[in-house]
Structure formats: structure tokens, C-alpha cells
Amino acid sequence: MKLFVYSYRDFDEGEFFNKYSSEYNIELGTCREAPTLENAYLVSGYAYISVITTKIDADLVTRFHELGVKMISTRTVGYDHIDLHKAEELGVQVSNVTYSPNCVADYTIMLMLMSVRKMKRIMERANINDFSLPGIQGREMQNFTIGIIGTGKIGRTVIKYLSGFGCKVYAYDLFENSEVKQYAEYVDLDTIYTKCDMISLHMPLEDSNYHLINKDSIAKMKDKVIIINTARGALIDSVALIEGLESGKVGAAGLDVVEKEFGLYYYDLKSRVLDNRELLILRGYPNVIVTPHMAFYTDQAIDDMVHHAIKSCWLVENGKENPWQVV
Ligand code: COI
């Protein structure tokens, strides 16, 4: 069978694509660029294609369908970048992957600690030999009440890690999980907003939670609340967050994701004027850490992403059940 891989990166994914394509006897076609209507023709003759988090809108899904694509496999956990309605309507299967939740959970804890200990300011000052103390006093995690919104695999791992810090943990999810109850108390969203010193987001982006963190929810939060987002940018209304930071209501933020990051992250744009004012404003604040959607980026995760992308296509081709099928 044949698989066409978009956004192919030989420097980190290459060894795993070689390993798993020979293990599953799959012929690969590759292209470093993200899929577009212009380069969609490359998939002619391929029933399976692999993509990452670049926009796959209705027109592109339609074009792939016309070219004979049977399945779009995204080597990511999230699939909000793909027009699932169009795929379902046309009978194009969409599949995601799973990878160790520890990569994102580790990174979340790092952003939490960096925010609580004002690490951006400490590092910026140390780099210019400013070793003064005013303005960089931190707080202690043991004195925090932390709210985790979303208790899927990543949220659960973060909660388990937090149990070692001695802080109080509240959790929110539509579906409660018994493991979480060992370490955290499930509460409603308003309790998370009103009682927590730090709030961390761990849910997929859906129509129902777009801008979950907005002017109204921020108004309910404790003064100096710290907001951490390693999930999806559009869970937070960036303008409302900026206003919260400007007023001092929000004390700090650790953001691995931001709204409108498509077309920016994973490209070298150092000579370009970026088309995302909110990102630039947020990045400029001393109490906001912005990283370019890197929480996933470990050796283990890349191995899992490539392996599961290839295996899911192989399973479908061989008429077996695909545990990663989305539609
Ligand atoms: C995902 O797997 O959903 C991620 O967020 C990581 C991806 C951007 C590579």
C-alpha cells in the first residue's frame, strides 16, 4: 500500500518513517510542504495521506476526495484543523494518533513552575547581569489551589504529577474519571474560576468550548490568577486575556498555544512581519511565557506519532478495526 506524507520532516521524523514503513511494508511519498490546493495533485495514486496541524478545509478535503484519497491520517492528537463534516459527507475517513501524555504533562508542569517563579523575568535579567531581587519573588505550589479543565489522558497525568506538590487540585470534565478522584475533587466550572490560583486547560477544541476563557470567565477568577494553556489557542479569547493582564486581574500566563497560530508555528519567519497582533502583545509582557506549540515535542512522541499514523492506515487497508478512527 502507498501513503503520501505532507509536512514531512527528515531531521526528526525520517528515521521513524523509514523504520515503520518497512515494518508495515508501506511505500511512502513525501513532501516537506503543508497540503494546499496547489500541491494536492501530489496525492494522485495514494489512497492514504498523512498530515499535521495545518488547515485541511472543506475545499481541500473535496480535492483529496476527487483525487482518490480514502483516508486522511493526522499525526496529531487534535483534529480541529480538519473539516470533519466535509470528510464525513464525502466518506473520507479521518484518523488521529495517540502518544504518551507525559510529553505535554511534563511541559505543563514546567510552564506552571516557570509562571509561579517568574522565570521569564529571572532569565531575561540574568542575561544582562541584572541580579537584583525586586519584582521576581515567586510563590509556592503547596499554597496553590489549581484547577484542571479537562481530565483526559493529559489532564489526568498533570493531576497525578501535581499530587506531589501538596497543592489542592480541583478538576472539571463532562465525564468524571475514577483515577482523578484519588488526587482531585471534581467541581463545576464556576468553582474552578472562583477558587483557583492557577487554571490549566486540557481539552480538545470544539464548537462548544471556543473562547471558554473569555471576559466573563476571567471576571469570575481570583485576582492574580495564572492561566496555563497547552491545549488549543482558541480555548482562550486572546483579547480578553490581554485585558485581564493589563488590568492585573490575570497575574501570569503560560501559553504553548495561541489563537491563529496556523501558518506561523513550525516555520522560520524571522524576517517577516507577523500577522498576529495578539501573539506579539502577549509575548511582550514580562509575566507571559509564549512558546510555539512545543509541548508535544519529544523523541517518544515523534516515534508514537509516526508509528500510529502508519499503523492506522495499515489497519484500514487490511480491513481491521482502527482504534484511531475519528470519522
Ligand atoms: C496534537 O497532537 O494535537 C498537538 O497539539 C501537537 C501537534 C501540533 C504536533
Side-chain angles (χ1 to χ4, degrees):
M1 63 173 287
K2 291 167 72 178
L3 169 67
F4 191 83
V5 183
Y6 278 106
S7 306
Y8 175 80
R9 304 186 308 264
D10 45 6
F11 64 89
D12 60 348
E13 296 180 318
E15 71 172 287
F16 300 114
F17 269 115
N18 289 339
K19 175 176 167 191
Y20 294 115
S21 60
S22 64
E23 199 171 298
Y24 290 89
N25 197 20
I26 287 177
E27 189 186 321
L28 292 183
T30 64
C31 161
R32 283 162 202 243
E33 277 73 53
T36 60
L37 285 174
E38 288 68 43
N39 66 21
Y41 72 90
L42 292 170
V43 307
S44 303
Y46 291 83
Y48 299 87
I49 66 168
S50 172
V51 301
I52 57 168
T53 44
T54 56
K55 212 74 199 127
I56 317 286
D57 62 13
D59 288 347
L60 201 44
V61 174
T62 306
R63 186 76 192 113
F64 284 142
H65 177 249
E66 286 164 4
L67 290 162
V69 169
K70 177 169 158 188
M71 176 164 142
I72 302 172
S73 161
T74 180
R75 358 192 238 290
T76 59
V77 175
Y79 40 80
D80 49 286
H81 51 294
I82 304 176
D83 192 319
L84 296 183
H85 297 298
K86 187 46 87 178
E88 201 161 22
E89 181 193 315
L90 297 174
V92 174
Q93 290 187 46
V94 174
S95 193
N96 73 341
V97 296
T98 44
Y99 46 80
S100 139
N102 299 57
C103 54
V104 179
D106 291 0
Y107 203 93
T108 302
I109 298 291
M110 178 187 76
L111 286 180
M112 286 180 170
L113 287 169
M114 288 181 80
S115 302
V116 170
R117 298 304 297 266
K118 304 192 171 149
M119 190 49 70
K120 180 173 176 182
R121 271 173 273 197
I122 292 175
M123 291 181 74
E124 282 175 354
R125 287 188 193 189
N127 280 339
I128 55 165
N129 298 341
D130 174 355
F131 306 124
S132 63
L133 287 175
I136 53 169
Q137 186 179 65
R139 295 161 74 193
E140 293 188 21
M141 295 279 276
Q142 60 164 339
N143 297 325
F144 269 64
T145 299
I146 301 183
I148 301 297
I149 306 185
T151 58
K153 279 193 203 153
I154 295 171
R156 290 207 290 277
T157 309
V158 171
I159 288 173
K160 218 189 294 176
Y161 286 173
L162 286 175
S163 67
F165 286 92
C167 45
K168 179 159 187 54
V169 183
Y170 285 134
Y172 171 81
D173 202 304
L174 290 175
F175 307 99
E176 297 192 359
N177 177 281
S178 55
E179 191 196 353
V180 167
K181 293 182 185 174
Q182 290 176 49
Y183 309 106
E185 185 186 338
Y186 274 107
V187 292
D188 58 18
L189 271 180
D190 268 358
T191 306
I192 299 259
Y193 296 148
T194 54
K195 298 267 188 287
C196 291
D197 304 292
M198 177 151 61
I199 296 173
S200 188
L201 305 178
H202 299 285
M203 72 259 267
L205 176 65
E206 286 160 358
D207 291 343
S208 57
N209 60 22
Y210 175 78
H211 283 184
L212 177 78
I213 303 301
N214 55 38
K215 207 175 163 114
D216 296 337
S217 45
I218 290 175
K220 293 179 189 169
M221 292 178 192
K222 284 180 83 167
D223 289 345
K224 302 214 176 314
V225 65
I226 297 175
I227 298 177
I228 305 293
N229 190 4
T230 52
R232 284 293 181 269
L235 293 171
I236 301 181
D237 176 349
S238 312
V239 174
L241 178 62
I242 289 169
E243 283 166 7
L245 284 153
E246 278 174 354
S247 71
K249 177 79 180 169
V250 179
L255 309 173
D256 187 47
V257 287
V258 287
E259 287 192 271
K260 296 182 271 165
E261 65 179 56
F262 285 121
L264 301 182
Y265 286 174
Y266 314 135
Y267 298 100
D268 179 352
L269 305 177
K270 61 177 165 294
S271 303
R272 289 254 295 271
V273 174
L274 298 194
D275 177 20
N276 187 334
R277 288 181 197 180
E278 290 78 24
L279 164 64
L280 301 181
I281 293 170
L282 287 164
R283 194 173 68 186
Y285 293 136
N287 52 350
V288 178
I289 297 167
V290 177
T291 59
H293 207 146
M294 288 288 140
F296 77 99
Y297 198 44
T298 64
D299 50 355
Q300 181 64 55
I302 298 299
D303 185 330
D304 291 344
M305 285 164 137
V306 174
H307 185 188
H308 298 163
I310 287 187
K311 187 169 175 187
S312 61
C313 297
W314 182 89
L315 288 170
V316 171
E317 177 68 9
N318 288 281
K320 299 185 193 298
E321 199 190 327
N322 171 17
W324 296 286
Q325 181 173 354
V326 177
V327 298

